[in-house]
């Protein structure tokens, strides 16, 4: 009973070049992905009616800059750790 919500963030490393790093953040509600941010695309994309509305708003607001900051803060900052293992 109840609702299930989670957010999952992934850093994908395709080469040792820091330009080859991709950040993907998925927002899931009741096992359905509503919104995804992909740093390669450079914006949020909605997959449900509610997700499309939120993605449009987030792409115009501070959420987009925040997510692009996560690419630097999380993925690029930890790239050396990823490549050393």
């Amino acid at each position: 009973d109840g609702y299930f919500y989670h957010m999952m963030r992934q850093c994908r490393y395709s080469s040792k070049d820091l330009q080859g790093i991709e950040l993907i953040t998925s927002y899931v509600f009741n096992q359905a992905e509503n919104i995804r941010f992909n740093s390669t695309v450079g914006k949020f994309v909605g997959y449900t009616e509610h997700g499309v509305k939120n993605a449009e708003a987030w792409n115009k607001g501070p959420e987009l800059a925040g997510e692009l900051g996560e690419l630097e803060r999380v993925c690029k900052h930890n790239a050396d750790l990823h490549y050393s293992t």
Side-chain angles (χ1 to χ4, degrees):
D1 291 11
Y3 298 99
F4 178 76
Y5 169 81
H6 78 273
M7 185 264 300
M8 181 175 67
R9 182 168 283 139
Q10 305 175 53
C11 297
R12 294 186 179 173
Y13 301 92
S14 60
S15 69
K16 288 192 176 189
D17 179 11
L18 292 181
Q19 300 303 318
I21 299 174
E22 179 181 37
L23 171 68
I24 298 174
T25 307
S26 298
Y27 298 86
V28 178
F29 182 71
N30 281 352
Q31 300 181 358
E33 185 176 22
N34 291 322
I35 301 172
R36 177 183 294 176
F37 173 81
N38 183 320
S39 62
T40 304
V41 176
K43 65 179 184 177
F44 292 95
V45 177
Y47 294 104
T48 64
E49 183 179 345
H50 183 68
V52 169
K53 290 179 183 178
N54 280 336
E56 288 173 1
W58 292 0
N59 285 327
K60 295 176 185 172
E63 293 84 0
L64 182 60
E67 202 64 35
L68 290 169
E70 291 298 293
L71 176 65
E72 296 291 328
R73 188 179 72 82
V74 177
C75 297
K76 291 185 179 180
H77 178 74
N78 289 311
D80 288 338
L81 178 64
H82 172 77
Y83 290 121
S84 69
T85 56

